[in-house]
Amino acid sequence: MIQAIRGTKDILPDNISKWHYVEEKFKKITQLFGYKELRTPIFEKTEVFHRTIGEGTDIVNKEMYTFTDRSGDSITLRPEMTAALVRSLVQNNLLAQTKLQRLWYFGPFFRYERPQKGRQRQFHQFGIECLGSEFAESDVEVIQLADVLFKSLGITDYNLIINSLGNENSRNQYRLAFLDYLKSVKSELSDDSQNRIDTNPLRILDSKDENDKRILENAPVILDYLDEESKEHFDAVTKALNELDIDFTINPKLVRGLDYYSHTVFEFQSEYLGSQDSFGGGGRYDGLVEQLGGKSTPAVGFALGVERLLIILEQLDIFNNMEDEIDCYIVMRGNEQSIYAQQVASILRGQGLKVLNELNRRSMKAQMREANRSNAKYAVIIGEDEVKENKVILKNLKESKQEEVLLTELNGYKF
Ligand code: HAM
């Protein structure tokens, strides 16, 4: 037997209604905020992700599915959407056409990570990106959309963690101070963190090593290095969140695992997730459009992991009453009525009802059993007499009542 690739999962029919449910919510809420969907190919030239996500990051160093295709080009299965989406906007000249672009996406992404609960090699993200505003209002709109989405799904007790990485100037100042500190404690740090000093020092703030964490307690914090402009932006974001009653916690050690961020960064965490507690994250990326060959355009967005979202929703029991109900199961006394049965099914489907026909020529008794097992509301019983007289017997399986109905009356029948 051939197995699926490690870290990938089939989404089986019994589970699909949960996916449809959250996908419908994504569509509905993004529509309320005026966001439009954008779809891009699942693979891109490697350079789309390489420099933008950053050479010192885990994603680029260890996690990308990169291969050379038959013409010798380096191709990467997308590990995230933001860089691919910006590539598409620049290529299609969309930023020149409308100053503000509000976009959303949903689809599969690929990272070669060690699989565990809530961590897969093919996973799904839902995300939004708002391009064309440098102001705090856009950071706030993005977070507000996420908040509305979570609440509409019944998630009220998530944690929003927020930080500012400031503009480039602030970040450079901070990096110098932080490097000084790191050098003074270098020998005490974990091997991983020591290696990062030269490649991506800010990521050390994110270290999961207990000893590193203790040492970092005394490290300088980025919020003390924000210049006027950066501070003003961050203050405007937190003030608005407060006024809008969106709870948050500031964590000056939050840096996120992608290099394109500036100013606001944030993550959504949930206690229902265990060690992979972050189910969404995002931030501002004012330099990315220019980096990918477009005109300098400020932007902000976020993405959430749909598998992690579903883990939370399952624990909240919100899928409890989502049985996939059938309206009618057509039961024939004999197989001679099968064409008539399919005609009747057509009439019923024309009214928007979900109807199943018997396909295995089973006995009437077996068909009735199937009708009950499939949780159908009605058994539509057909025999020789019914065919002759253009009618059906409609048996209400929930109330054990039945009546004869002419085909001509089926259209107006109140099911
Ligand atoms: P990210 O934090 O790398 O951000 O990913 C966003 C979310 O995707 C995570 O919070 C997590 O829920 C989910 N995720 C990531 N990797 C995995 C995995 N291996 N298995 C399951 N779920 C996973 C981004 O990707 C940015 N593009 C977000 C963004 C949008 N920033 C600005 N705009």
Side-chain angles (χ1 to χ4, degrees):
M1 183 183 50
I2 303 174
Q3 301 270 348
I5 293 170
R6 185 166 136 81
T8 69
K9 273 195 184 154
D10 301 312
I11 302 168
L12 298 175
D14 273 354
N15 258 329
I16 200 73
S17 52
K18 299 176 187 172
W19 285 78
H20 289 164
Y21 180 78
V22 293
E23 287 168 35
E24 277 310 311
K25 289 276 185 197
F26 300 155
K27 279 190 198 146
K28 195 163 154 231
I29 306 286
T30 48
Q31 206 176 26
L32 293 179
F33 281 76
Y35 283 63
K36 286 194 181 156
E37 187 179 5
L38 181 120
R39 300 183 188 182
T40 64
I42 257 155
F43 51 17
E44 295 277 349
K45 290 191 178 149
T46 300
E47 62 201 86
V48 170
F49 305 112
H50 202 259
R51 271 181 313 122
T52 53
I53 295 175
E55 297 191 16
T57 61
D58 281 352
I59 298 182
V60 168
N61 281 357
K62 310 189 217 160
E63 296 170 4
M64 292 210 304
Y65 278 93
T66 297
F67 60 95
T68 309
D69 74 3
R70 287 173 193 274
S71 56
D73 291 333
S74 180
I75 306 286
T76 294
L77 301 188
R78 58 184 194 185
E80 63 108 41
M81 185 67 172
T82 312
L85 177 138
V86 169
R87 191 274 307 142
S88 169
L89 294 183
V90 172
Q91 180 179 341
N92 294 294
N93 207 20
L94 293 189
L95 291 163
Q97 289 168 19
T98 326
K99 208 174 154 354
L100 204 72
Q101 286 286 348
R102 292 183 164 102
L103 300 161
W104 71 274
Y105 50 86
F106 164 74
F109 294 86
F110 306 86
R111 296 183 193 177
Y112 190 83
E113 294 196 76
R114 202 153 38 81
Q116 63 180 73
K117 188 174 174 220
R119 192 162 72 196
Q120 295 177 195
R121 291 182 176 172
Q122 176 175 330
F123 59 99
H124 294 76
Q125 278 187 354
F126 158 79
I128 65 167
E129 311 289 350
C130 176
L131 298 101
S133 162
E134 64 184 290
F135 298 108
E137 286 84 331
S138 57
D139 309 47
V140 173
E141 177 172 289
V142 164
I143 293 173
Q144 198 185 21
L145 189 152
D147 181 67
V148 171
L149 174 68
F150 301 153
K151 288 186 177 147
S152 81
L153 286 164
I155 305 175
T156 46
D157 57 351
Y158 71 87
N159 299 315
L160 166 61
I161 315 295
I162 184 166
N163 188 24
S164 173
L165 303 178
N167 56 16
E168 213 179 336
N169 177 43
S170 310
R171 230 164 22 255
N172 286 340
Q173 297 293 326
Y174 174 67
R175 195 176 282 117
L176 289 177
F178 187 46
L179 278 172
D180 268 352
Y181 177 79
L182 289 174
K183 280 180 192 143
S184 70
V185 295
K186 183 172 176 183
S187 57
E188 299 167 56
L189 290 170
S190 66
D191 290 348
D192 257 2
S193 291
Q194 290 197 27
N195 291 335
R196 283 201 165 116
I197 292 182
D198 295 323
T199 54
N200 199 347
L202 293 195
R203 283 294 285 169
I204 296 175
L205 288 170
D206 228 17
S207 172
K208 301 279 178 283
D209 183 280
E210 287 305 323
N211 192 45
D212 284 357
K213 281 192 197 165
R214 200 179 40 75
I215 295 167
L216 290 168
E217 273 169 24
N218 300 319
V221 295
I222 187 143
L223 293 178
D224 293 335
Y225 289 79
L226 296 186
D227 63 12
E228 249 340 278
E229 181 215 342
S230 305
K231 203 169 153 355
E232 226 171 77
H233 186 89
F234 192 51
D235 287 348
V237 173
T238 52
K239 176 171 186 276
L241 292 177
N242 273 326
E243 304 265 328
L244 290 164
D245 279 334
I246 299 175
D247 292 339
F248 61 90
T249 310
I250 295 175
N251 177 355
K253 294 209 169 70
L254 179 72
V255 284
R256 311 246 319 116
L258 306 104
D259 276 358
Y260 49 61
Y261 290 117
S262 56
H263 291 288
T264 322
V265 287
F266 54 90
E267 271 184 20
F268 300 104
Q269 300 181 348
S270 166
E271 279 148 26
Y272 293 110
L273 286 173
S275 65
Q276 300 299 314
D277 62 353
S278 180
F279 67 103
R284 181 163 276 286
Y285 48 95
D286 290 346
L288 186 58
V289 177
E290 203 172 7
Q291 207 184 354
L292 282 166
K295 218 171 91 229
S296 169
T297 307
V300 54
F302 93 98
L304 64 87
V306 181
E307 282 80 3
R308 293 188 193 173
L309 181 74
L310 290 177
I311 293 176
I312 300 172
L313 295 177
E314 265 157 20
Q315 304 220 24
L316 291 172
D317 235 9
I318 76 136
F319 297 121
N320 224 354
N321 292 321
M322 273 179 50
E323 281 270 345
D324 205 10
E325 277 207 343
I326 307 252
D327 295 304
C328 302
Y329 194 98
I330 304 204
V331 173
M332 301 170 292
R333 291 190 199 280
N335 192 55
E336 309 77 57
Q337 290 105 39
S338 69
I339 295 177
Y340 185 77
Q342 287 179 318
Q343 287 166 334
V344 170
S346 275
I347 296 173
L348 294 168
R349 289 190 192 113
Q351 298 188 61
L353 297 170
K354 196 151 135 195
V355 185
L356 294 187
N357 275 115
E358 167 65 19
L359 299 182
N360 267 329
R361 301 186 178 182
R362 286 176 292 187
S363 69
M364 185 178 170
K365 203 168 143 207
Q367 292 175 54
M368 275 310 285
R369 215 180 303 127
E370 187 64 36
N372 281 307
R373 197 171 46 204
S374 63
N375 218 359
K377 282 182 226 144
Y378 294 91
V380 182
I381 302 166
I382 291 167
E384 245 174 80
D385 292 349
E386 281 71 35
V387 176
K388 253 188 246 143
E389 292 163 37
N390 280 314
K391 62 182 186 187
V392 298
I393 297 170
L394 213 50
K395 179 167 184 183
N396 187 325
L397 295 173
K398 311 269 158 172
E399 293 167 19
S400 300
K401 283 191 307 205
Q402 68 176 51
E403 62 178 312
E404 287 185 1
V405 183
L406 288 170
L407 291 195
T408 48
E409 293 168 352
L410 269 184
N411 256 330
Y413 189 86
K414 278 211 167 10
F415 282 91

